[in-house]
Amino acid sequence: MSLPLIYDLSQSQLKSLLVELGEPEFRFQQVWHGLYRNFWNSPDEFSNLPTILQRKLSELINFHVLDPKATLHSSDGETIKIAFTLHDSLIIETVLMKYDPTEITDGSEPGHFSKSRRTICISSQVGCAMGCVFCATGQMGFRRNLSRGEIIAQLMYFARFLKKQGDVVTNVVIMGMGEPFHNYENTMEAIDCLNDPNGYNFGARRFTISSVGIIPSIKRFISEKRQVNLSISLHAADDSLRSSMLPINKKYGIDALLEACREYTLESGRRITFEWALVNGINDSADQAYLLSHKLKKILCHVNAIPLNPVEGYRGRATTNSRAKEFKNILVKAGVPCTIRLRRGTDIQAGCGQLAGIFE
Ligand code: SAH
Ligand code: SF4
């Protein structure tokens, strides 16, 4: 039987394990802080523990959660993508995107951040069952859910990586491979663990979950009242076009989805983001923009539009700059905030061609 992954252990599970090993109570904090404050990821780094305990831990727990298989740096050096091998040889991707305070983000306007950002884009599943036609992960099909520990490990890896450079992770977007609301429990457990003040203490508001729009999960998310940001992949403003791009729309249509989104904004008081990959001649028309602005009128929201990242196996192409601008102008004139995002790290196929600085 394979050993449990270190980050799969909850605080109470780790506590009981140490008690079973006959350790005094204070050991728990030493191990937990070693993991989540110092980002140690191998037993021999725990210099605060007796060697014999280090050895026992290495026999009982797998500390080697992610094995970096390939690291790609974008030509501007600002985006790093790592393909990790998991314990069962499957592969996921995690991306680090660096943004400087005065960076131009959309090609036309300066996007001023008050502080620089180090955003990690993490995966929630290996593959995805949702089958969106323009998505490289969707084309892979579904392999399996990531465990909470495998989700946590992606952030810990980059926290450690940046710490060596005297830097820190500032934001996390769950918009790598997979649909987080199709792996709801593990995703939330990972967020709650990373958010815990006794550990990493990473603020809930610094997380953004991106979902294709599974309505029952959105309702559950609303009821659980976390301060995490929500983003919905909309991509089309009418059911027939959206169903042709995102098959899940046949089950959860646009109007019901937008109603759930509105409920989220009312209950949480938070703005919701809608993502829109602009595909030339498909969803970048003025008609779509007018229909969208009409449908979003009563929702506290923001539209993040990004030219499609072309992927193999999908014939769509990215929109042109002028069509993107026209699309945006229609929304903005109608009072719906919209930003056209630059594609980040396209030379390294950041996030299976999915991701992007969609969030910055
Ligand atoms: N499953 C979740 C999160 C992962 S996908 C979701 O769908 O929201 C992250 C984002 O990348 C989504 O908005 C998705 O629609 C978008 N995306 C996928 N493939 C893309 C592509 N080829 N070009 C641009 N955006 C893409
Ligand atoms: Fe899955 Fe999101 Fe890709 Fe759709 S866009 S297939 S939901 S990862």
Side-chain angles (χ1 to χ4, degrees):
M1 208 184 79
S2 58
L3 299 178
L5 305 177
I6 181 66
Y7 304 115
D8 275 339
L9 298 180
S10 65
Q11 302 201 38
S12 59
Q13 287 168 324
L14 183 61
K15 260 181 212 159
S16 338
L17 181 96
L18 291 166
V19 168
E20 275 168 39
L21 293 175
E23 292 295 329
E25 229 172 79
F26 64 84
R27 287 283 182 241
F28 163 72
Q29 288 291 26
Q30 290 184 308
V31 179
W32 199 255
H33 289 173
L35 289 170
Y36 291 102
R37 294 198 178 162
N38 302 332
F39 316 136
W40 292 334
N41 69 351
S42 114
D44 54 19
E45 282 186 284
F46 287 75
S47 47
N48 51 353
L49 302 181
T51 323
I52 181 141
L53 178 57
Q54 292 179 9
R55 213 190 55 229
K56 278 192 211 155
L57 290 176
S58 71
E59 286 164 6
L60 292 172
I61 302 169
N62 181 359
F63 282 74
H64 197 65
V65 182
L66 299 175
D67 190 13
K69 181 187 165 74
T71 303
L72 300 171
H73 296 257
S74 63
S75 48
D76 62 8
E78 298 295 272
T79 304
I80 298 172
K81 176 171 91 165
I82 302 191
F84 291 109
T85 309
L86 305 171
H87 62 85
D88 55 1
S89 305
L90 292 174
I91 291 174
I92 53 163
E93 294 177 353
T94 311
V95 182
L96 163 66
M97 293 166 283
K98 298 184 180 177
Y99 297 88
D100 289 324
T102 54
E103 186 171 11
I104 312 282
T105 57
D106 70 357
S108 65
E109 294 166 350
H112 290 286
F113 310 134
S114 51
K115 290 199 180 121
S116 62
R117 288 189 178 184
R118 305 287 178 255
T119 301
I120 308 288
C121 174
I122 64 182
S123 296
S124 56
Q125 298 181 314
V126 187
C128 183
M130 300 297 134
C132 305
V133 295
F134 50 86
C135 172
T137 308
Q139 289 171 7
M140 281 175 62
F142 177 70
R143 300 294 180 78
R144 71 169 171 85
N145 281 331
L146 294 184
S147 72
R148 81 177 232 150
E150 289 168 326
I151 297 173
I152 292 171
Q154 297 170 66
L155 180 45
M156 288 297 104
Y157 183 93
F158 278 99
R160 186 179 160 89
F161 172 91
L162 287 172
K163 192 180 179 194
K164 287 185 188 148
Q165 304 172 7
D167 213 340
V168 294
V169 177
T170 63
N171 297 77
V172 172
V173 297
I174 306 182
M175 53 191 325
M177 298 168 83
E179 166 52 40
F181 278 173
H182 192 217
N183 184 17
Y184 191 92
E185 266 102 26
N186 293 350
T187 302
M188 297 305 162
E189 273 187 35
I191 290 176
D192 291 345
C193 171
L194 292 161
N195 179 226
D196 193 298
N198 186 38
Y200 190 40
N201 198 16
F202 194 85
R205 293 168 196 212
R206 291 163 176 265
F207 285 98
T208 300
I209 293 182
S210 174
S211 169
V212 72
I214 299 173
I215 295 176
S217 304
I218 296 176
K219 302 235 165 172
R220 178 170 174 192
F221 182 68
I222 296 170
S223 73
E224 291 174 354
K225 298 187 187 302
R226 283 182 191 78
Q227 304 246 309
V228 169
N229 301 298
L230 181 61
S231 172
I232 297 293
S233 299
L234 204 55
H235 304 302
D238 69 83
D239 279 323
S240 107
L241 179 58
R242 192 166 189 267
S243 296
S244 74
M245 298 172 77
L246 296 83
I248 193 73
N249 190 75
K250 292 176 199 149
K251 191 161 177 192
Y252 304 117
I254 290 183
D255 292 339
L257 173 59
L258 292 180
E259 192 41 47
C261 292
R262 201 168 97 88
E263 194 183 321
Y264 163 79
T265 61
L266 295 176
E267 293 288 327
S268 68
R270 307 182 77 76
R271 190 178 289 273
I272 193 165
T273 301
F274 293 108
E275 291 153 60
W276 196 284
L278 287 159
V279 189
N280 199 10
I282 303 285
N283 64 353
D284 61 348
S285 65
D287 282 355
Q288 281 291 305
Y290 283 119
L291 186 58
L292 179 63
S293 56
H294 175 70
K295 297 210 170 197
L296 298 188
K297 260 209 172 108
K298 291 197 181 119
I299 305 180
L300 178 67
C301 69
H302 180 266
V303 174
N304 265 336
I306 180 164
L308 178 84
N309 248 337
V311 291
E312 245 178 77
Y314 176 57
R315 296 223 312 266
R317 291 288 160 255
T319 192
T320 60
N321 282 349
S322 62
R323 286 175 78 98
K325 269 189 194 145
E326 191 196 355
F327 189 88
K328 170 185 165 165
N329 288 341
I330 292 171
L331 290 177
V332 171
K333 268 194 199 134
V336 178
C338 171
T339 325
I340 308 289
R341 299 298 175 184
L342 260 191
R343 288 179 278 159
R344 291 290 302 252
T346 45
D347 58 335
I348 57 169
Q349 310 279 305
C352 308
Q354 322 185 320
L355 27 109
I358 296 185
F359 268 93
E360 306 309 323

